[in-house]
Amino acid sequence: MSQQPTIRRIVNYVIPEGPTKGQVRPAIITNVDGGRVALHVFTDRSVDDVLPVTPSVPNATFGGPDQPGTWFWPPEPAKPAAPTYTPPDELVERARVALAAASETELREAERAYQAYGSATDGRSAVTGAELPPFGACPVLVRSGWLAVARLNLPPRELGTGS
């Protein structure tokens, strides 16, 4: 269990008996004692009021959704998928031409700028959180963008024929 139970945290509790045995109800932790927690279970009045479900559980152990009488952490909410972007062909072609015309110095500086970005973000995308690939494995638009950054910082005498 990577998370630690603390008072006021919301968890799931699996009904231990009766007609709704095995169903999951939300609960809040009211006390923690070692590996056991006390819970206040939020029941479904339309179903649970007629059952032997006690809203207070003084001694529950960590378990899972298939273990009646135990509690478990709610699943993480699904992150919405990032919208997909397909750049126009002419934009990709301009990027390819810019990379092909770049000097070795410009390409080294582009990679250096990309690595500096990665050092500031712990090697992850600041937008998606995904691990950054090596510069050479980046899409052509990404490499071309870092080439543009490098060209801004190079003195004119070091710019290649692509400038």
Side-chain angles (χ1 to χ4, degrees):
M1 171 174 35
S2 60
Q3 299 183 64
Q4 294 301 311
T6 55
I7 294 172
R8 295 187 305 274
R9 298 280 306 268
I10 295 176
V11 297
N12 288 330
Y13 178 72
V14 186
I15 303 294
E17 57 190 6
T20 57
K21 178 180 180 178
Q23 289 189 9
V24 176
R25 298 289 183 265
I28 192 163
I29 298 173
T30 58
N31 193 25
V32 179
D33 184 16
R36 297 182 179 273
V37 298
L39 302 172
H40 179 84
V41 180
F42 294 89
T43 58
D44 180 349
R45 291 187 67 128
S46 65
V47 178
D48 297 330
D49 272 359
V50 297
L51 303 174
V53 176
T54 307
S56 179
V57 179
N59 202 11
T61 58
F62 182 76
D66 58 344
Q67 298 172 317
T70 65
W71 67 274
F72 63 98
W73 296 109
E76 291 289 323
K79 292 183 181 178
T84 58
Y85 169 67
T86 303
D89 291 340
E90 54 274 7
L91 183 61
V92 174
E93 186 56 29
R94 278 199 316 261
R96 281 194 180 101
V97 168
L99 287 168
S103 70
E104 285 300 316
T105 300
E106 291 175 311
L107 292 174
R108 271 195 311 275
E109 288 302 308
E111 184 169 4
R112 199 168 144 247
Y114 175 76
Q115 290 170 343
Y117 165 75
S119 70
T121 62
D122 199 26
R124 299 200 165 276
S125 166
V127 176
T128 66
E131 187 174 332
L132 293 173
F135 183 73
C138 289
V140 67
L141 283 179
V142 171
R143 288 182 286 132
S144 178
W146 286 106
L147 175 61
V149 170
R151 285 178 171 164
L152 285 174
N153 294 313
L154 284 173
R157 68 183 184 288
E158 292 186 31
L159 291 172
T161 58
S163 58

